[in-house]
C-alpha cells in the first residue's frame, strides 16, 4: 500500500521546520516510521534526519552565483532543477513503501516559490498521482490575533487549496504561546469575528481597521470564506511541546480517506483530460506538418474517396438510363451478334450454334 504523503506548507516564521521535527519524532514514538524529504534548498541546518535532501544534489549558493539570481529566484531555480528528477524521488519512496508508514515533506518558507511555481506544481501533482497526498498548512497562531492577519492567512489557505486541489488541514501552531480557540471560533461564528473586528478598531482608532474600506473588505472576505471553512479540518498543536499531534494524525487519516473517495477520481479525470488534450495537440501538429509537406491527411483522403464515384457505379447508372430496366437486367437479343476475331485464320477451336456436340 502506498504511504500517505504530508506536504507541510507555511509562511516564513510559522514554525514549519520545527513542526516537521516534532512530527518526525512523534511518528517514531508511535512506531510509524516516516520517509522524510527536505525541499528547502536555502535552509542552513535541518533539525531532523532526511532520507532525501535537496541540498545534497543542488547547491543553493552556486545557483545564485551561476545564474546571477537573488534569494527567491535561486529557490525557484533550485526547485526547477530538482523537479526534473522527481520520478527518481518517487521511485525511491516506492521502494520503501513496505517499510515506511508516512512520507513527510518540508517546503521553503517562501510559499509563492513552491505553490505558484511550475516546479512546485510538477512535484505536487507527481506525488499526488502516486500517493494519497494531504496538505498541512501551518499558521502562526499568535500572529493571527489580529482579524486582518487572520483573514490574510485564510485567503492564503484558500488559494493553496484551489491551486493544489488536494485535501487540506489547517494547523494552528505555537499554541503554547497562545491558545487557538479564538481562531476556531472566528471560523465557525461570523458574529464573533465581527465583534473582534470592531473591538480591534476601537483599540486602533488611527488605523480604523473596523470601519471604512478595510473593515468592509475584511467583512466581505469573512462572509465569502464561511463555505470554505466547512471543507477544512482544523487542528491546534504546539511544535515546541508536542501537544495536539495525535489529533493531527487523526485528521491526516480522515483526509486520506477523503482523498481515496473524492480527490482520486477527480485527479484521474484531470489526467484523462490532459491525455485527450495532448492527443488532439499531436494530431493538430501532424496535420500542419502534412499540409506543409503537401500530403493529404486521412480525413482528406476519406472525403476525396466519398466525392468520387466508383467506375462500376457509373457504368450501372448509364446502363439503367439507356435500357430503362429498373432491375438492371438486360434481355438478350434474338439474333446472335456477329463477332470480330483477332486471328481470323485460326478458328478451328470455335464453338457456336452450328457446332455438333
Amino acid at each position: 500500500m502506498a504511504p500517505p504523503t504530508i506536504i507541510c506548507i507555511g509562511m516564513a516564521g510559522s514554525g514549519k521546520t520545527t513542526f516537521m521535527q516534532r512530527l518526525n519524532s512523534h511518528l517514531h514514538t508511535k512506531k510509524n516510521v516516516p520517509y522524510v524529504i527536505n525541499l528547502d534548498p536555502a535552509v542552513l541546518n535541518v533539525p531532523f534526519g532526511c532520507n532525501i535532501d535537496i541540498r545534497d544534489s543542488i547547491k543553493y549558493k552556486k545557483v545564485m552565483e551561476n545564474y546571477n539570481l537573488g534569494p527567491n529566484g535561486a529557490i525557484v531555480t533550485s526547485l526547477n532543477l530538482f523537479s526534473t528528477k522527481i520520478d527518481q524521488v518517487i521511485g525511491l519512496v516506492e521502494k520503501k513503501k513496505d517499510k515506511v508508514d508516512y512520507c513527510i515533506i518540508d517546503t521553503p518558507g517562501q510559499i509563492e516559490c513552491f505553490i505558484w511555481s511550475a516546479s512546485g506544481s510538477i512535484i505536487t501533482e507527481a506525488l499526488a498521482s502516486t500517493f494519497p497526498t494531504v496538505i498541512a498548512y501551518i499558521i502562526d497562531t499568535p500572529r493571527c490575533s489580529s482579524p486582518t492577519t487572520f483573514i490574510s492567512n485564510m485567503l492564503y489557505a484558500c488559494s493553496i487549496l484551489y491551486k493544489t486541489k488536494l485535501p487540506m488541514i489547517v494547523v494552528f501552531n505555537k499554541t503554547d504561546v497562545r491558545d487557538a480557540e479564538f481562531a476556531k471560533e472566528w471560523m465557525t461564528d461570523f458574529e464573533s469575528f465581527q465583534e473582534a473586528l470592531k473591538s480591534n478598531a476601537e483599540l486602533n482608532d488611527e488605523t480604523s481597521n473596523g470601519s471604512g474600506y478595510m473593515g468592509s473588505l475584511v467583512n466581505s472576505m469573512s462572509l465569502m470564506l464561511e463555505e470554505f471553512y466547512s471543507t477544512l479540518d482544523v487542528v491546534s498543536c504546539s511544535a515546541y511541546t508536542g501537544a495536539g499531534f495525535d489529533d493531527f494524525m487523526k485528521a491526516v487519516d480522515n483526509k486520506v480517506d477523503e482523498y481515496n473517495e473524492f480527490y482520486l477520481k477527480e485527479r484521474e479525470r484531470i489526467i484523462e483530460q490532459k491525455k485527450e488534450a495532448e492527443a488532439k495537440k499531436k494530431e493538430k501538429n501532424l496535420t500542419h506538418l502534412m499540409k506543409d509537406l503537401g500530403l493529404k491527411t486521412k480525413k482528406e483522403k476519406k472525403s476525396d474517396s466519398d466525392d468520387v464515384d466508383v467506375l462500376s457505379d457509373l457504368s450501372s447508372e448509364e446502363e439503367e438510363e439507356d435500357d430503362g430496366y429498373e432491375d438492371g437486367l438486360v434481355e438478350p437479343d434474338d439474333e446472335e451478334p456477329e463477332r470480330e476475331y483477332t486471328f481470323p485464320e485460326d478458328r478451328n477451336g470455335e464453338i457456336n450454334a452450328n457446332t455438333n456436340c
Side-chain angles (χ1 to χ4, degrees):
M1 183 178 177
T5 300
I6 305 170
I7 302 177
C8 296
I9 298 172
M11 294 184 185
S14 62
K16 179 170 46 59
T17 303
T18 311
F19 177 86
M20 277 283 298
Q21 179 189 15
R22 178 62 68 176
L23 179 60
N24 184 31
S25 62
H26 178 81
L27 291 173
H28 277 289
T29 303
K30 298 294 183 180
K31 306 299 181 183
N32 295 324
V33 181
Y35 195 90
V36 186
I37 301 175
N38 173 47
L39 294 182
D40 190 353
V43 66
L44 293 177
N45 297 311
V46 177
F48 48 83
C50 295
N51 297 94
I52 297 176
D53 195 337
I54 190 175
R55 300 176 304 165
D56 293 337
S57 55
I58 297 169
K59 302 301 179 185
Y60 173 71
K61 290 185 178 179
K62 288 292 182 183
V63 171
M64 290 181 70
E65 293 174 3
N66 294 339
Y67 295 97
N68 296 321
L69 297 172
N72 288 349
I75 291 174
V76 173
T77 304
S78 298
L79 288 170
N80 289 343
L81 296 171
F82 186 80
S83 65
T84 60
K85 304 296 182 182
I86 190 61
D87 57 327
Q88 297 180 17
V89 174
I90 292 174
L92 291 171
V93 178
E94 285 184 323
K95 287 180 181 178
K96 298 285 186 178
K97 67 181 180 180
D98 296 329
K99 298 180 180 179
V100 299
D101 298 299
Y102 294 93
C103 176
I104 56 177
I105 301 173
D106 193 15
T107 58
Q110 290 77 6
I111 296 178
E112 67 279 359
C113 294
F114 181 77
I115 291 297
W116 287 281
S117 66
S119 55
S121 298
I122 290 169
I123 293 170
T124 304
E125 289 181 9
L127 291 168
S129 300
T130 312
F131 312 111
T133 305
V134 178
I135 301 294
Y137 180 58
I138 317 299
I139 296 176
D140 188 345
T141 307
R143 289 185 184 177
C144 283
S145 56
S146 169
T148 52
T149 309
F150 172 79
I151 284 293
S152 298
N153 270 286
M154 291 300 104
L155 288 172
Y156 256 111
C158 182
S159 62
I160 291 170
L161 176 66
Y162 288 107
K163 180 67 172 69
T164 59
K165 295 182 176 63
L166 290 171
M168 175 183 283
I169 302 171
V170 173
V171 181
F172 286 101
N173 193 18
K174 302 183 183 180
T175 53
D176 56 295
V177 179
R178 177 162 185 179
D179 197 289
E181 287 303 318
F182 75 94
K184 292 180 180 179
E185 186 179 358
W186 287 353
M187 295 178 72
T188 55
D189 189 353
F190 175 69
E191 292 181 358
S192 174
F193 179 77
Q194 278 190 321
E195 290 176 4
L197 189 61
K198 290 177 182 178
S199 62
N200 186 66
E202 291 171 2
L203 293 173
N204 302 280
D205 291 332
E206 295 180 0
T207 56
S208 187
N209 288 334
S211 60
Y213 172 75
M214 193 64 181
S216 176
L217 177 63
V218 173
N219 271 322
S220 301
M221 290 297 178
S222 60
L223 273 172
M224 180 200 70
L225 291 172
E226 270 193 317
E227 186 177 351
F228 166 68
Y229 295 150
S230 63
T231 62
L232 295 177
D233 280 11
V234 182
V235 178
S236 58
C237 65
S238 172
Y240 182 72
T241 63
F245 275 82
D246 287 329
D247 295 334
F248 174 74
M249 294 312 300
K250 288 179 183 178
V252 169
D253 293 338
N254 292 335
K255 287 300 180 182
V256 168
D257 294 337
E258 185 180 321
Y259 172 90
N260 292 326
E261 186 175 355
F262 301 106
Y263 286 82
L264 186 60
K265 294 180 181 178
E266 179 66 15
R267 297 203 69 81
E268 289 175 351
R269 186 185 66 81
I270 292 172
I271 291 171
E272 191 64 29
Q273 281 183 346
K274 287 184 177 180
K275 287 182 180 178
E276 291 177 1
E278 189 67 24
K280 289 180 180 178
K281 185 178 179 182
K282 286 182 180 179
E283 185 179 354
K284 186 177 180 181
N285 292 338
L286 181 61
T287 302
H288 286 309
L289 178 62
M290 293 184 74
K291 285 182 178 180
D292 292 340
L293 295 174
L295 302 174
K296 290 185 177 180
T297 61
K298 291 182 179 180
K299 290 182 178 180
E300 291 174 339
K301 288 180 180 179
K302 188 176 180 181
S303 62
D304 291 347
S305 63
D306 292 341
D307 294 338
V308 177
D309 294 327
V310 182
L311 183 61
S312 59
D313 296 337
L314 293 174
S315 60
S316 62
E317 289 177 1
E318 291 176 358
E319 290 172 358
E320 288 176 5
E321 291 177 359
D322 293 342
D323 55 40
Y325 290 95
E326 295 180 356
D327 56 0
L329 297 176
V330 181
E331 291 185 358
D333 295 333
D334 294 336
E335 297 180 0
E336 183 177 357
E338 185 177 350
R339 299 186 181 180
E340 295 182 1
Y341 299 96
T342 307
F343 304 100
E345 293 84 1
D346 186 11
R347 293 165 51 196
N348 296 327
E350 179 185 6
I351 299 176
N352 51 35
N354 299 324
T355 304
N356 296 323
C357 297

